[in-house]
Amino acid sequence: MRRRVIKLDEECKKLVKNGSEFRNIQKSKLDHLIVDDRYKVMYCYVPKVACTNLKRVFLLLSGKMNETDPLKLKSGDVHAGFDKYLTYLDTFSAAGIKYRFLHYKKVIFVREPLERVLSAYRNKFVQQGNDYFKEKFGRKIIKRFRENPSEKSLMKGDDVTFKEFVQYLLDRKTIEQGYNEHWESFHDLCHPCHIRYNYIGNYETLDDDVNGLLKILEVEDKIQFPDRGDMYKTLKTEDILLKFYQELEPQMLTKLWKIYAKDYAIFDYEIPPTLKKLMKQVH
């Protein structure tokens, strides 16, 4: 944990040296930081990094749930009806925000960036359901990036290819409009060079890192973090990365990596060997 925090500090100093400025941050950009005043902790939730289960934990910490088992809180409720029981940093005054920056444990959980991009694509555009994303984003992506799309595809937006999704991410218009939170970078979603997180959990060591946090908060006897089960353990495989990322030209993959380059540097991730090999094919 100490090594992760030091790495974040070092990389943010390099960014400042290279011309990035981190003097002020708009209050409205702090809307992903959940605050618990009782336990003096802030957590920046990142979609596709176990954020449903971590929100479940913070709902239990709030003391407003009549449950002790996080899994008793339904996923749909966690992201909708129960959200009113969570407190967000952007609701405090400037003085209140500054105080919490100085005195609270600041927590973030991250994962390998391009693996997260693929996870977001599969969850929102491949799996059954998620009609909202298919209608709002899928139809638009197909219209802009597919030659001769069928009427059915234009109407439903339910067969977006991974390559089309990446084309959408790389498109200047998309970048100017801003990304959805499910594929927004950690850097732009959670502002690590402003907030300087002092507890950085990794998806790859999620169970140990969450249990470590629960011990620090002295609630390990009250809250049991949900077991991820075998399903999660099979998701991160070189085979799955290869299956989808080999659809991209090497130049396209390199451009995608550059979008998340700050995340790789700040949170000390290396490009998976499979993707590195695909990128080198450009030479």
Side-chain angles (χ1 to χ4, degrees):
M1 189 60 60
R2 181 167 166 73
R3 180 183 59 76
R4 293 173 189 172
V5 172
I6 290 171
K7 177 68 174 175
L8 184 150
D9 194 53
E10 288 174 350
E11 291 300 327
C12 287
K13 283 176 180 171
K14 285 182 193 173
L15 287 172
V16 171
K17 199 174 178 182
N18 291 334
S20 296
E21 290 191 19
F22 305 114
R23 290 175 191 164
N24 296 304
I25 184 167
Q26 291 176 330
K27 188 175 167 180
S28 61
K29 291 188 175 180
L30 302 174
D31 61 342
H32 271 65
L33 280 141
I34 296 169
V35 178
D36 191 292
D37 285 332
R38 180 182 173 191
Y39 292 98
K40 292 185 165 46
V41 61
M42 298 190 301
Y43 156 62
C44 186
Y45 77 88
V46 179
K48 307 313 303 170
V49 190
C51 88
T52 302
N53 280 343
L54 285 162
K55 276 191 172 185
R56 284 177 169 130
V57 168
F58 276 81
L59 281 165
L60 295 187
L61 288 180
S62 75
K64 295 168 184 172
M65 301 285 106
N66 292 322
E67 294 289 350
T68 54
D69 179 0
L71 286 179
K72 290 283 176 66
L73 307 180
K74 293 178 182 177
S75 175
D77 291 334
V78 169
H79 294 291
F82 290 165
D83 196 63
K84 64 188 176 188
Y85 298 117
L86 295 172
T87 304
Y88 290 87
L89 190 62
D90 64 340
T91 62
F92 292 94
S93 66
I97 290 169
K98 185 177 180 182
Y99 176 84
R100 287 165 178 81
F101 273 175
L102 292 172
H103 298 287
Y104 282 24
K105 177 69 69 180
K106 298 178 285 289
V107 178
I108 186 172
F109 279 78
V110 295
R111 75 188 287 186
E112 202 288 317
L114 291 185
E115 182 191 321
R116 175 174 168 255
V117 168
L118 177 56
S119 176
Y121 164 74
R122 294 176 74 206
N123 177 239
K124 301 305 178 190
F125 298 104
V126 178
Q127 292 175 13
Q128 293 295 315
N130 285 316
D131 290 341
Y132 168 81
F133 277 84
K134 289 166 184 170
E135 288 172 12
K136 180 168 182 180
F137 296 98
R139 289 159 62 180
K140 179 166 54 178
I141 291 170
I142 289 167
K143 186 177 180 182
R144 275 164 63 182
F145 300 105
R146 185 176 300 178
E147 284 188 37
N148 304 315
S150 68
E151 286 296 321
K152 180 176 176 289
S153 294
L154 287 171
M155 186 175 69
K156 293 198 167 186
D158 61 355
D159 61 347
V160 173
T161 67
F162 184 58
K163 183 175 181 178
E164 288 168 343
F165 175 62
V166 173
Q167 284 178 298
Y168 167 74
L169 294 181
L170 297 178
D171 188 66
R172 182 177 296 175
K173 188 176 176 183
T174 308
I175 294 168
E176 287 172 357
Q177 289 173 344
Y179 282 179
N180 176 271
E181 63 177 359
H182 290 83
W183 42 85
E184 180 69 278
S185 67
F186 310 135
H187 180 266
D188 290 330
L189 203 60
C190 292
H191 318 287
C193 293
H194 283 94
I195 294 169
R196 302 297 175 103
Y197 294 93
N198 48 24
Y199 195 93
I200 301 168
N202 285 2
Y203 186 80
E204 295 76 14
T205 52
L206 183 66
D207 293 337
D208 288 343
D209 292 345
V210 174
N211 289 327
L213 177 63
L214 296 178
K215 281 182 183 176
I216 289 171
L217 300 179
E218 298 180 353
V219 294
E220 72 271 27
D221 295 331
K222 300 175 191 173
I223 297 174
Q224 186 74 37
F225 187 68
D227 182 21
R228 293 191 293 165
D230 293 333
M231 184 186 74
Y232 277 84
K233 291 165 190 168
T234 60
L235 286 181
K236 190 198 171 191
T237 67
E238 295 287 306
D239 288 342
I240 290 175
L241 287 173
L242 180 61
K243 178 184 174 183
F244 287 92
Y245 276 102
Q246 68 183 358
E247 295 177 25
L248 310 183
E249 291 88 4
Q251 297 97 326
M252 186 181 287
L253 178 53
T254 301
K255 285 178 183 176
L256 184 65
W257 167 77
K258 284 180 179 176
I259 286 174
Y260 298 94
K262 287 179 183 176
D263 288 352
Y264 274 97
I266 291 170
F267 294 106
D268 202 18
Y269 276 106
E270 290 192 8
I271 303 165
T274 297
L275 301 188
K276 198 177 280 187
K277 200 176 291 183
L278 289 173
M279 288 167 71
K280 283 181 179 176
Q281 290 175 11
V282 71
H283 301 303

